[in-house]
Amino acid sequence: MNGKMLVVLALLASCVRPLSTTRPTAGAGRNRLPVAGRLDTAAWVDSTLTSLTLRERVGQMVMVWTLGDYASVDDSTSVQLLEWVERDGVGGISMSLGTPIEVAHKLNLVQQRARVPLLVSSDLEPGLMRLESAIFPHYLLETGGATGFPSAMAIAATGRDEDAYDVARAIAREARAVGIHVNFAPVVDVNNNPDNPVIATRSFGEDPERVAQLSALFVRGTHDGGAFATAKHFPGHGDTDVDSHVGLPVVTSGPDRLRSTELVPFRSAIEAGADLVMSAHIALPALGGDSATPATLRPDVMGGLLRDSLGFRGTAITDALTMDGVGKGYSVEQSAVLAVRAGADILLKPSDVRLTIDAVVSAVELGELDSTLISRSARRVLWLKARAGLTRTRQVALDSVHVVVGSREHRALAEDVASRAITLLRDSGNVVPVPMAQRIAIVQYQPETELKAGRAFAREMARLKPGTRVAGRVGPGSAASAMDSIVRAVRDDEVLVLTAFVRRVEGEGRTTIPPHVAAWVDSLAFARRVVLVAFGNPYVIRQFPRVSAYLTTFGVGDALEVAAARAITGARPISGRSPVSLPGFFAAGDGITR
């Protein structure tokens, strides 16, 4: 470590708030996860670690990604997954895309085939519904699924901090019901950049202290629901304007800014007992580095800052190694070895599992990596498995999935949080709520990826205000003539409600409406009463400054669509407050009460 970095770390360490004396350690969680007696647990970890070869210990550090869809046992995807588990001895699986029952069934199968129980994770920021649901596109027939909770930013908009705890606990319960132990949440990034294409509503907001408070509550709720919590993306992905899925963001913040902003929620999450911390594929040139090396690969960040300065004793995991933020400029072998050297205990989603394991083993044998690093990381992974109760049972009861996942209690919680999250940021014509006698025409903007966008909203609007109709839909590729024909069909006595579904599209960095569509919307607002409802990105108001009424939900999903319909029609009060600001348009804390 060079002298400059030592000075930087010293500055950061000098202002880090003292952590509690009961810091989480690799083997001593402070949560309510099921766990055997401590002595029995320690004995299992020790005996299992001793039984593993160097290659098998490295395998425990690898977490592969798989779909939760149906596949026959001889399907190529099933064969590949079982090869990773049986041949390569991977330590974990990151689950995606599938119905709850199919996910649970598939996990039961692979757990049965694994020599050492598998640690299962998933990216469940707004709940199991984010990944575990199904829709038949031809008929747009929804087959049901898990509970879809409002986003982190929507939770922050309610003003009730306990919502973060309640939602996290419910998500954890549904996750454990299908066999998932680790939630890759909360996102503790401070979203203070309106142009951020990858964090946005995944964050609790732009106030570091508020993000810290909600993050801590989310961690505790996750624990009380029986799952592990992951604070991400270290040391802070909020002030970026590049999607790390497609490039390497460069954060210019120096030690003072990191200390006062980005690191505040991480300190809080660690104090609350966060079990894992996920690294960010971002460059930090002002922190003693350069503009080409991601934090994931820097020992001074993942070791010096995370462990030495912040006192984290849990499990460090990389963000997906397939992302271009770390993939460009490094081979599979290089990124794996450098990440382990930097301090990663788990290598998430490497593009080639065998090459990854071979590279780390070879680096140890050549003396490039210390074997104690491997043993320490494997031990941390085994401790998580023991704490999750996998020493007793590694499978879930399929008949219990229907009792827990998507339960009435959880759906009611999602609806309640969503109703209090709706935020009215502008209403110059006093249009909201729309009077009962007033007719409404809905025009929906939805990208091609939003197959079911607006369905729940339109249904609820029609239920609450009979006669409401969907006048048309536009998308990124809509021609001016097509859009004009839609607006000509809107009658003069109708209030035009335009819904804009704009959220990040992973790997594309798209968070805005195409200029020609935005100009069309703004021209409508000049000529008539328009209520614009922003589902997702709350910052899109800058694209149509003449809109008289602007309502934002800070997310997408059925619960938020229903809540927005009730707010517009006056069926429910509006009380949300924005957790973020957009200079010239609205400030943090703004919100008109109705």
Side-chain angles (χ1 to χ4, degrees):
M1 189 179 298
N2 60 39
K4 180 180 179 182
M5 191 57 212
L6 285 172
V7 173
V8 170
L9 284 177
L11 287 171
L12 287 168
S14 67
C15 295
V16 171
R17 292 197 309 267
L19 296 175
S20 65
T21 56
T22 54
R23 290 177 181 172
T25 64
R30 295 184 297 168
N31 54 45
R32 300 180 184 177
L33 291 161
V35 62
R38 183 175 177 80
L39 293 178
D40 292 342
T41 302
W44 180 84
V45 171
D46 289 340
S47 63
T48 303
L49 184 65
T50 301
S51 72
L52 299 177
T53 65
L54 171 62
R55 182 178 182 81
E56 290 169 337
R57 293 183 185 193
V58 174
Q60 288 298 301
M61 299 171 63
V62 174
M63 183 172 280
V64 298
W65 178 90
T66 188
L67 286 167
D69 61 336
Y70 171 80
S72 63
V73 292
D74 57 359
D75 182 84
S76 61
T77 59
S78 297
V79 172
Q80 176 68 86
L81 178 59
L82 290 174
E83 282 184 355
W84 286 335
V85 171
E86 296 179 318
R87 179 196 67 190
D88 299 311
V90 298
I93 291 175
S94 185
M95 178 58 69
S96 179
L97 292 176
T99 61
I101 284 293
E102 194 56 52
V103 167
H105 185 273
K106 180 172 284 190
L107 289 176
N108 277 351
L109 172 64
V110 292
Q111 287 283 22
Q112 186 179 19
R113 303 284 284 271
R115 176 192 165 193
V116 180
L118 295 161
L119 185 69
V120 183
S121 66
S122 195
D123 199 346
L124 307 177
E125 294 163 23
L128 202 63
M129 176 60 89
R130 179 178 185 268
L131 299 176
E132 328 302 339
S133 58
I135 184 169
F136 288 92
H138 184 61
Y139 300 102
L140 284 184
L141 176 65
E142 300 171 43
T143 61
T147 309
F149 288 97
S151 68
M153 194 170 286
I155 291 172
T158 69
R160 182 182 182 273
D161 289 357
E162 293 82 357
D163 287 336
Y165 173 90
D166 293 340
V167 168
R169 183 174 58 177
I171 292 173
R173 286 173 174 171
E174 296 199 2
R176 288 307 302 259
V178 300
I180 294 171
H181 318 111
V182 178
N183 186 3
F184 287 154
V187 172
V188 305
D189 301 313
V190 180
N191 197 80
N192 44 27
N193 187 337
D195 294 319
N196 195 316
V198 66
I199 303 301
T201 59
R202 302 165 69 195
S203 164
F204 287 113
E206 66 179 38
D207 178 7
E209 294 296 338
R210 184 86 196 288
V211 174
Q213 171 70 6
L214 295 175
S215 296
L217 286 167
F218 197 99
V219 169
R220 295 186 183 110
T222 300
H223 288 167
D224 285 352
F228 295 119
T230 308
K232 63 182 185 184
H233 307 79
F234 188 80
H237 207 322
D239 190 12
T240 59
D241 57 9
V242 173
D243 185 347
S244 51
H245 292 87
V246 297
L248 177 63
V250 177
V251 176
T252 58
S253 300
D256 290 342
R257 165 60 182 266
L258 284 173
R259 181 181 65 245
S260 64
T261 303
E262 278 76 15
L263 294 181
V264 173
F266 282 100
R267 289 194 292 262
S268 182
I270 290 170
E271 289 179 349
D275 310 279
L276 298 91
V277 168
M278 180 180 287
S279 67
H281 301 327
I282 58 174
L284 297 156
L287 203 64
D290 54 42
S291 298
T293 307
T296 299
L297 307 183
R298 288 182 54 177
D300 54 354
V301 175
M302 299 308 298
L305 183 55
L306 177 60
R307 296 201 182 276
D308 298 338
S309 293
L310 296 187
F312 180 61
R313 299 293 179 264
T315 304
I317 182 172
T318 70
D319 206 342
L321 293 176
T322 51
M323 295 165 60
D324 283 348
V326 72
K328 285 184 177 178
Y330 298 92
S331 66
V332 172
E333 299 92 333
Q334 288 174 323
S335 59
V337 172
L338 290 174
V340 172
R341 181 180 295 157
D345 299 307
I346 297 178
L347 304 172
L348 177 63
K349 196 182 175 183
S351 57
D352 191 308
V353 171
R354 178 163 286 189
L355 272 181
T356 295
I357 296 175
D358 286 345
V360 176
V361 170
S362 178
V364 173
E365 293 173 342
L366 293 173
E368 298 172 359
L369 286 176
D370 193 328
S371 62
T372 58
L373 291 177
I374 307 303
S375 296
R376 185 173 61 191
S377 294
R379 180 179 291 277
R380 286 184 174 130
V381 173
L382 293 173
W383 265 113
L384 287 175
K385 295 178 180 184
R387 289 174 54 207
L390 297 178
T391 59
R392 298 194 307 274
T393 180
R394 59 176 76 179
Q395 297 189 330
V396 298
L398 296 182
D399 56 359
S400 69
V401 174
H402 294 285
V403 177
V404 178
V405 178
S407 68
R408 181 180 301 174
E409 175 190 356
H410 292 170
R411 292 188 186 278
L413 173 62
E415 291 177 4
D416 179 49
V417 173
S419 69
R420 290 180 286 106
I422 304 303
T423 303
L424 183 62
L425 288 171
R426 179 187 293 174
D427 192 12
S428 58
N430 203 30
V431 181
V432 179
V434 177
M436 283 302 297
Q438 181 72 62
R439 294 178 178 272
I440 293 177
I442 301 171
V443 174
Q444 298 173 341
Y445 169 82
Q446 55 191 99
E448 63 279 358
T449 53
E450 300 287 354
L451 293 179
K452 56 176 288 189
R455 298 182 77 201
F457 178 78
R459 282 197 303 264
E460 187 68 2
M461 288 289 290
R463 184 185 75 83
L464 295 169
K465 187 181 280 294
T468 297
R469 65 192 183 93
V470 177
R473 296 177 177 85
V474 298
S478 294
S481 57
M483 293 188 291
D484 288 341
S485 67
I486 290 174
V487 77
R488 282 196 296 269
V490 178
R491 297 187 293 267
D492 291 338
D493 63 342
E494 292 178 314
V495 171
L496 179 59
V497 174
L498 195 144
T499 57
F501 290 84
V502 184
R503 58 176 165 179
R504 68 181 186 96
V505 178
E506 203 164 272
E508 294 185 20
R510 186 176 68 207
T511 58
T512 59
I513 294 175
H516 75 286
V517 179
W520 175 75
V521 172
D522 203 41
S523 68
L524 293 180
F526 181 74
R528 61 184 307 137
R529 291 170 296 173
V530 175
V531 178
L532 193 136
V533 187
F535 288 101
N537 182 4
Y539 304 111
V540 294
I541 188 175
R542 57 186 161 179
Q543 292 191 272
F544 8 78
R546 290 186 288 193
V547 166
S548 56
Y550 184 70
L551 199 78
T552 182
T553 67
F554 302 104
V556 297
D558 286 359
L560 287 168
E561 289 191 26
V562 169
R566 292 173 180 173
I568 289 172
T569 58
R572 288 293 298 266
I574 301 174
S575 60
R577 300 285 177 176
S578 178
V580 292
S581 63
L582 183 62
F585 293 92
F586 58 88
D590 279 0
I592 302 170
T593 301
R594 287 283 186 269

